[in-house]
Amino acid sequence: MTAPSTYGPSTQARNLQWLLTDLVEEVPGIVSVAVVSSDGLLLLSSETGSTGGEGDAADRPVPQARLKGPRGASADLATIVSGLGSLTTGAAQLMDGGGVKQTMVAMEHGSVFVTAISDGSLLGVHATPDCDMSVVAYHMALFVGRAGHVLTPEVRSELRQSMENTP
């Protein structure tokens, strides 16, 4: 069963949230994470107010300095992830480079990683400047390997609806 029940998110949606929470809590240097659909909509995030159960990363307070945009930092990250995904896909097509597997932007005060999940969905990570980039990339690949088959059209629809209903 993938549709949400009267008791909350489906098992698949809860599993995805658990995987996202595990990624944030287990990998040093990760600031925030967003899963974005192929049409650029935020499906899942590590920020307060995202889908998830009690005691997960979604319940941790987010510093007010990071809260920007309509839903805070996760909405901004989703926008960046979607834009980078589109830009790199276009660049790969122009260069006959095949599919884009991962994009990394290193900045003075942090890094952004974008990895394709499935059907155009993307995993985006905002990390600290001192993170071990290879560790972040490795754990993102693990997330994609575990989440790719679970992120079905039904689950994406459920997650999208859940995010739209979040105040």
Side-chain angles (χ1 to χ4, degrees):
M1 180 170 134
T2 58
S5 69
T6 56
Y7 300 108
S10 67
T11 301
Q12 292 87 347
R14 286 192 313 271
N15 287 342
L16 284 170
Q17 183 62 47
W18 179 85
L19 286 170
L20 184 127
T21 299
D22 189 53
L23 178 66
V24 172
E25 290 179 352
E26 297 299 320
V27 181
I30 290 183
V31 176
S32 61
V33 179
V35 175
V36 181
S37 67
S38 61
D39 52 359
L41 296 174
L42 180 63
L43 298 177
L44 208 55
S45 88
S46 60
E47 183 178 291
T48 301
S50 66
T51 58
E54 294 181 19
D56 62 16
D59 295 326
R60 292 194 313 247
V62 176
Q64 289 298 320
R66 286 199 352 234
L67 293 177
K68 299 176 185 169
R71 290 224 174 101
S74 63
D76 292 341
L77 181 58
T79 301
I80 292 164
V81 167
S82 181
L84 283 173
S86 180
L87 180 65
T88 55
T89 297
Q93 288 172 350
L94 286 172
M95 296 178 188
D96 292 325
V100 177
K101 295 181 180 180
Q102 187 169 48
T103 303
M104 196 271 301
V105 179
M107 302 168 286
E108 186 176 345
H109 300 291
S111 298
V112 174
F113 299 80
V114 179
T115 300
I117 299 177
S118 63
D119 297 336
S121 297
L122 301 167
L123 170 64
V125 169
H126 173 214
T128 61
D130 61 344
C131 74
D132 185 332
M133 293 180 188
S134 61
V135 170
V136 173
Y138 172 76
H139 283 277
M140 289 177 72
L142 288 178
F143 179 94
V144 168
R146 294 172 180 155
H149 69 282
V150 177
L151 201 55
T152 63
E154 295 82 13
V155 173
R156 283 194 303 273
S157 177
E158 176 187 347
L159 293 170
R160 183 178 300 139
Q161 186 175 31
S162 176
M163 290 304 287
E164 289 172 358
N165 294 334
T166 301

